[in-house]
């Protein structure tokens, strides 16, 4: 085509150059769609050169350059406009035609249509951007360890390298509305992320690109927002923020399509088939990357869970071993204590009140009582001691503990209770649970030497299969949760792992035995419950106690079973025990009470004596734990021989467990070792007299 321009004036410094008449040859007229008459004399700017994009000044500068240096040809590439509004790209070569005096009379502009080439270049640029974005994203995919970090970086790369206006990732929720929750953003979003209200259901808010992509599992493109009916709910806000088109790419992870990658462009119809294909591959790579990260995280959790369970198992085995040792020691010590206490009681009965001998026996009895308490603690830790199981409300126990603490702890320590109403009762030994909770609270108060708040809470709690899987020995079900928390100094893990071990204490010499929390551990475990502690240095400690709920109503407590005096008799009593000292002491005690005593060392000998002297023996006092034949075996043998046999069971362990079972099978009474004379004689009298 030919484009002629003639300056009507020569510009001075700071003046505008006005272009002259425009003449098109026949080919140019056809190309641009103007006749010779229509175009003749019109200014180029605003006709075939758009004003907005070029602004007129660039073309004037080109003409000025050609006129100033006519010996050099000027070249330029412009976006031009045909009469029908179509935009085309033309490469122009501008040759000046000069007057005899050397001044420029005309400029001959020869143009070549490079629209297809320009579009190909743009397409190539877009494809190259997509490739670069995918390449950068793949680098991120390889090195990312956190899912949120990965998604943030992917969105950032898409906007920065891919030159898109906005990128965001949404997760499909399984709520009633089936909402899509945005989890990552990058680019120019303004307040669009707050404006988003997207669903993946087949509703108005779910028919946009994002919801449709998740619902169908296929990429969805809104080429032009203004013409896309599915984008109606967001059209005005998108136009306000400069968005013109968008694409949503579904991510299928572990067989479920529940994530969408969303990309927005400021240009309409910005996504062609090749770019959609490449971005779909990126979405597929991203889904794979998320799957890998989740698999790694799951493996890491599994390893941590395995390590935790192994530690729990080792701790449990260690505690069981210590408990077995403590139980054995307590049993043997109880037998020795029975000899000491029994003889001391008899000596006290014979000694003159106020004399040195009476005082000495009183001191022995006092020491025996303290030793008995220690033995009971060891048995409790060994989980072989539940004295009086009843159905009781936990809140009553907690209120009593709180009342004791308010009277005993310094006023600078605040005691706070949060008790759940209508909490079902639990089957516990109220005294022991009281002791356990008080032990925890006392330790909590000790951890707040300056000031702080101790909070005692009760609530309903359901432990599910997942919790049980992560905590060795826990059975799923409903529990009463008692939580004691303090604002104290807290503990390091190395201390936290040992707090339930016997004789472990962080207190100074003479300020603690280290048995308090170990006793608490034994009490809770002995009641079918669980106890866990959580703490950080400087952040206080939380102890959680889980007790299974009971079935049935709350029970009333009984009065004292035996009066504090000795009942006497004259009958023959068979005492069966494997400890010689216990036999001698029991024989002396019962002899002082008027009874005729036959001592049998061991179960086999006891059975033989009873079979020989059955008619003479009014009652059998039978030890529970013996070698060869224990109390259960002896009782069953005697009962088979004589169904009417009268037996009192004695043990350092409590009435619960095997002893409780034997009471249901016909044993008449139970007496705790070490013997209390009045209790033993009272039980014998009660059984013999019926």
């Amino acid at each position: 085509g030919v484009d002629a321009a003639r300056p009507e004036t020569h510009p001075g410094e700071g003046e505008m150059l006005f272009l002259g008449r425009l003449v098109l040859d026949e080919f140019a007229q056809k190309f641009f769609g103007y006749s010779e008459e229509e175009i003749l004399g019109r200014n180029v700017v605003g006709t075939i050169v758009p004003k907005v994009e070029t602004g007129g000044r660039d073309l004037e500068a080109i003409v000025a350059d050609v006129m100033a240096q006519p010996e050099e040809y000027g070249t330029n590439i412009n976006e031009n406009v045909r009469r029908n509004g179509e935009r085309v790209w033309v490469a122009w070569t501008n040759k000046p035609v000069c007057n005899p005096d050397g001044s420029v009379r005309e400029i001959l502009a020869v143009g070549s249509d490079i629209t297809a080439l320009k579009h190909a270049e743009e397409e190539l640029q877009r494809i190259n951007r997509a490739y670069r974005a995918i390449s950068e994203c793949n680098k991120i995919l390889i090195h990312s360890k956190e899912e949120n970090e990965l998604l943030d970086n992917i969105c950032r790369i898409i906007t920065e390298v891919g030159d898109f206006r906005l990128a965001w990732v949404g997760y499909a929720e399984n709520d009633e509305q089936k909402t899509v929750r945005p989890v990552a953003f990058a680019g120019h979003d303004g307040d669009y992320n707050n404006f988003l209200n997207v669903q993946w259901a087949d509703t108005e808010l779910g028919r946009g690109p994002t919801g449709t992509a998740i619902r169908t599992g296929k990429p969805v493109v809104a080429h032009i927002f203004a013409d896309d009916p599915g984008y109606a709910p967001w059209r005005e806000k998108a136009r306000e923020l400069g968005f013109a088109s968008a694409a949503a790419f579904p991510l299928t992870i572990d067989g479920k399509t529940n994530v969408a990658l969303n990309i927005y462009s400021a240009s309409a119809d910005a996504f062609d088939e090749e770019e959609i294909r490449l971005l779909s591959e990126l979405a597929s790579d991203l889904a794979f990357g998320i799957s890998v990260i989740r698999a790694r995280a799951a493996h890491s959790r599994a390893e941590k869970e395995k390590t935790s369970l192994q530690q729990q198992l080792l701790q449990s085995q260690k505690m069981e071993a210590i408990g077995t040792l403590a139980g054995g020691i307590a049993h043997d010590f109880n037998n020795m204590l029975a000899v000491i206490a029994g003889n001391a009681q008899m000596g006290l009965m014979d000694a003159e009140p106020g004399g040195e001998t009476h005082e000495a026996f009183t001191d022995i009895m006092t020491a025996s009582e303290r030793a008995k308490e220690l033995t009971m603690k060891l048995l409790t830790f060994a989980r072989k001691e539940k004295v009086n199981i009843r159905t009781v409300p936990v809140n009553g126990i907690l209120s009593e503990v709180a009342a004791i603490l308010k009277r005993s702890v310094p006023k600078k320590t605040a005691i706070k209770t949060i008790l759940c109403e209508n909490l079902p009762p639990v089957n516990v030994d109220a005294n022991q649970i009281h002791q356990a909770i008080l032990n925890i609270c006392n330790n909590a108060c000790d951890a707040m030497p300056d000031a702080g708040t101790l909070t005692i809470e009760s609530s309903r709690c359901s432990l599910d299969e997942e919790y049980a899987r992560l905590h060795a020995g826990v059975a799923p079900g409903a529990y009463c949760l008692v939580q004691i928390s303090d604002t104290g100094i807290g503990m390091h893990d190395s201390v936290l792992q040992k707090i339930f071990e016997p004789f472990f204490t962080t207190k100074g010499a003479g300020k603690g035995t280290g048995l308090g929390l170990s006793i608490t551990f034994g009490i809770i475990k002995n009641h079918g419950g669980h106890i866990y502690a959580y703490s950080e240095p400087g952040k206080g400690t939380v102890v959680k106690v889980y007790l299974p709920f009971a079935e049935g109503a709350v029970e009333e407590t009984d009065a004292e079973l035996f009066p504090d005096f000795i009942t006497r008799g004259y009958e023959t009593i068979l005492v069966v025990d494997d400890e010689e000292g216990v036999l001698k002491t029991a024989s002396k005690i019962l002899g002082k009470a008027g009874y005729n005593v036959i001592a049998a060392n061991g179960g086999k000998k006891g059975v033989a004596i009873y079979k020989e002297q059955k008619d003479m023996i009014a009652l059998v006092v039978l030890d529970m734990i013996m070698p060869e034949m224990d109390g259960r075996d002896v009782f069953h043998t005697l009962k088979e021989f004589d169904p009417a046999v009268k037996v009192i069971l004695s043990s350092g362990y409590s009435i619960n467990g095997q002893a409780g079972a034997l009471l249901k099978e016909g044993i008449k009474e139970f007496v705790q070792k070490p013997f209390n004379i009045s209790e033993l004689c009272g039980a014998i009298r009660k059984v013999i007299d019926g």
Side-chain angles (χ1 to χ4, degrees):
V2 177
D3 179 9
R6 180 174 58 82
E8 295 182 348
T9 61
H10 291 280
E13 186 177 354
E15 295 180 352
M16 294 290 294
L17 174 67
F18 294 93
L19 301 181
R21 295 181 303 161
L22 174 64
V23 179
L24 299 178
D25 69 359
E26 182 179 355
F27 183 83
Q29 292 172 20
K30 291 180 180 179
F31 181 77
F32 286 108
Y34 291 98
S35 66
E36 184 177 358
E37 292 77 13
E38 291 174 320
I39 203 68
L40 185 64
R42 298 183 65 172
N43 198 330
V44 175
V45 178
T47 307
I48 64 174
V49 178
K51 289 183 179 180
V52 176
E53 283 76 6
T54 306
R57 183 54 190 155
D58 289 343
L59 185 58
E60 291 174 2
I62 293 169
V63 173
D65 289 342
V66 174
M67 294 180 67
Q69 297 177 316
E71 67 278 2
E72 295 185 12
Y73 286 13
T75 59
N76 63 287
I77 296 175
N78 282 93
E79 186 179 25
N80 300 117
V81 184
R82 289 176 172 175
R83 184 173 183 176
N84 61 6
E86 180 185 358
R87 301 291 182 101
V88 291
W89 287 92
V90 179
W92 297 100
T93 300
N94 307 299
K95 179 181 179 182
V97 179
C98 299
N99 294 312
D101 61 2
S103 61
V104 178
R105 184 180 76 251
E106 296 175 340
I107 296 177
L108 176 63
V110 180
S112 299
D113 181 9
I114 60 170
T115 303
L117 178 61
K118 193 70 174 179
H119 287 171
E121 288 178 353
E122 292 175 350
E123 174 68 14
L124 183 60
Q125 288 178 353
R126 285 205 305 268
I127 298 301
N128 284 339
R129 284 200 306 268
Y131 274 122
R132 286 199 303 272
I134 291 174
S135 176
E136 292 297 319
C137 287
N138 284 334
K139 293 178 183 177
I140 295 295
L141 285 168
I142 293 172
H143 299 291
S144 291
K145 296 181 180 180
E146 298 291 336
E147 187 169 332
N148 290 338
E149 177 189 16
L150 169 63
L151 297 178
D152 287 337
N153 284 326
I154 291 294
C155 291
R156 177 182 57 79
I157 291 170
I158 288 174
T159 55
E160 293 179 0
V161 180
D163 199 27
F164 287 99
R165 189 73 176 249
L166 170 68
W168 66 278
V169 176
Y171 282 5
E173 301 286 359
N174 288 317
D175 54 1
E176 186 176 351
Q177 291 76 26
K178 293 186 176 181
T179 56
V180 178
R181 175 171 57 91
V183 295
F185 269 95
H188 175 78
D189 59 350
D191 62 347
Y192 197 63
N193 56 333
N194 297 323
F195 176 77
L196 279 174
N197 182 12
V198 182
Q199 299 177 1
W200 59 280
D202 190 11
T203 61
E204 183 184 17
L205 295 175
R207 297 190 186 111
T210 306
T212 305
I214 292 175
R215 194 170 56 254
T216 63
K218 298 178 180 179
V220 178
V221 180
H223 291 283
I224 303 174
F225 285 167
D227 301 335
D228 194 322
Y231 211 82
W234 310 278
R235 183 176 295 137
E236 292 304 318
K237 192 66 178 181
R239 183 184 292 122
E240 177 186 328
L241 295 173
F243 304 145
S245 61
F249 301 91
L251 276 65
T252 301
I253 303 171
D254 297 330
K256 296 180 180 179
T257 304
N258 50 14
V259 182
L261 170 63
N262 306 277
I263 303 173
Y264 288 60
S265 175
S267 303
D269 204 11
F271 301 89
D272 61 19
E273 290 185 4
E274 180 63 15
E275 199 162 21
I276 292 172
R277 183 187 68 79
L278 291 173
L279 292 173
S280 296
E281 290 182 4
L282 172 60
S284 178
D285 292 343
L286 180 57
F288 177 76
I290 293 174
S291 298
V292 171
I293 289 175
R294 290 181 179 179
R296 288 174 182 165
H299 178 72
S300 177
R301 285 195 302 271
E303 287 297 315
K304 289 180 180 178
E305 291 171 6
K306 180 181 178 181
T307 301
S308 175
L309 289 173
Q310 286 176 339
Q311 291 175 344
Q312 291 181 44
L313 178 60
L314 290 174
Q315 181 70 4
S316 175
Q317 290 173 338
K318 180 171 68 175
M319 298 297 279
E320 287 290 341
I322 296 173
T324 301
L325 176 62
I329 292 173
H331 173 262
D332 291 342
F333 186 61
N334 249 338
N335 286 329
M336 292 184 283
L337 195 58
V339 176
I340 296 170
N343 282 285
Q345 289 179 78
M346 289 186 292
L348 196 60
M349 292 168 62
D350 294 338
E352 185 71 24
E356 291 184 1
T357 304
H358 190 278
E359 183 179 351
F361 281 122
T362 300
D363 290 343
I364 294 173
M365 284 301 302
T366 301
S368 297
E369 286 300 314
R370 292 180 61 188
K372 180 179 179 181
E373 291 177 5
L374 177 60
T375 306
M376 297 302 291
K377 288 181 178 180
L378 289 173
L379 289 173
T380 300
F381 172 73
R383 288 189 259 171
K384 296 179 179 179
E385 182 54 35
K386 290 189 291 185
V387 175
N388 193 13
I389 299 297
R390 296 185 181 279
T391 304
V392 298
V394 166
N395 284 349
I397 298 174
L398 301 183
S399 297
E400 290 177 6
V401 170
I404 292 173
L405 292 170
K406 288 177 181 178
R407 293 193 301 267
S408 59
V409 301
K411 292 184 178 180
K412 61 186 178 182
T413 301
I415 308 299
K416 182 180 179 182
T417 56
I418 305 173
L419 305 181
C420 176
E421 296 182 0
N422 302 319
L423 199 63
V426 292
N427 277 337
V428 297
D429 181 326
N431 290 330
Q432 288 197 354
I433 295 299
H434 185 284
Q435 177 191 357
I437 301 301
L438 189 59
N439 284 344
I440 298 171
C441 293
N442 284 332
N443 277 274
C445 291
D446 290 341
M448 300 182 289
D450 298 325
T453 300
L454 173 69
T455 305
I456 303 173
E457 302 176 64
S458 66
S459 62
R460 298 170 183 260
C461 177
S462 180
L463 302 182
D464 56 17
E465 295 283 351
E466 178 67 12
Y467 187 91
R469 185 175 66 83
L470 298 177
H471 294 80
V474 174
Y479 288 82
C480 170
L481 171 60
V482 177
Q483 180 170 301
I484 298 100
S485 55
D486 65 64
T487 57
I489 58 177
M491 293 176 280
H492 290 283
D493 284 342
S494 58
V495 175
L496 189 63
Q497 293 174 4
K498 298 180 180 179
I499 60 171
F500 296 122
E501 295 182 6
F503 307 113
F504 175 80
T505 179
T506 58
K507 300 175 183 178
K511 295 184 178 180
T513 63
L515 283 174
L517 288 180
S518 63
I519 298 304
T520 297
F521 178 88
I523 289 172
I524 301 306
K525 288 294 184 181
N526 205 18
H527 285 82
H530 310 283
I531 181 169
Y532 302 101
Y534 309 88
S535 184
E536 290 185 42
K539 295 185 178 180
T541 301
V542 176
V543 178
K544 294 185 177 182
V545 174
Y546 298 90
L547 294 170
F549 287 122
E551 296 182 3
V554 176
E555 298 178 19
E556 299 294 334
T557 57
D558 292 336
E560 286 294 322
L561 186 61
F562 302 116
D564 192 19
F565 59 86
I566 298 176
T567 55
R568 299 179 179 275
Y570 60 88
E571 291 88 352
T572 298
I573 307 296
L574 172 61
V575 180
V576 183
D577 202 297
D578 64 317
E579 287 289 333
E580 189 66 35
V582 174
L583 287 174
K584 290 175 65 175
T585 302
S587 298
K588 290 179 183 179
I589 291 173
L590 297 178
K592 276 186 171 292
Y595 295 100
N596 177 41
V597 180
I598 302 174
N601 193 329
K604 288 185 176 181
K605 190 171 183 180
V607 170
I609 291 174
Y610 188 84
K611 288 183 177 181
E612 292 177 0
Q613 305 182 45
K614 165 183 169 296
D615 295 334
M616 295 175 53
I617 298 172
L619 181 139
V620 179
V621 178
L622 178 61
D623 184 30
M624 182 69 204
I625 306 298
M626 295 183 294
E628 295 185 351
M629 288 186 73
D630 63 9
R632 176 188 293 275
D633 296 333
V634 173
F635 172 68
H636 288 160
T637 303
L638 295 181
K639 190 173 176 65
E640 185 177 349
F641 176 73
D642 178 13
V645 64
K646 295 180 179 181
V647 179
I648 292 178
L649 193 64
S650 70
S651 176
Y653 299 134
S654 71
I655 194 172
N656 295 280
Q658 292 187 16
L662 288 176
L663 283 173
K664 296 178 181 179
E665 296 176 17
I667 283 183
K668 304 301 182 181
E669 287 292 339
F670 174 83
V671 177
Q672 188 88 36
K673 286 184 179 180
F675 298 126
N676 178 285
I677 293 179
S678 63
E679 288 182 358
L680 178 60
C681 293
I684 290 173
R685 196 70 262 156
K686 181 180 178 181
V687 173
I688 291 177
D689 295 342

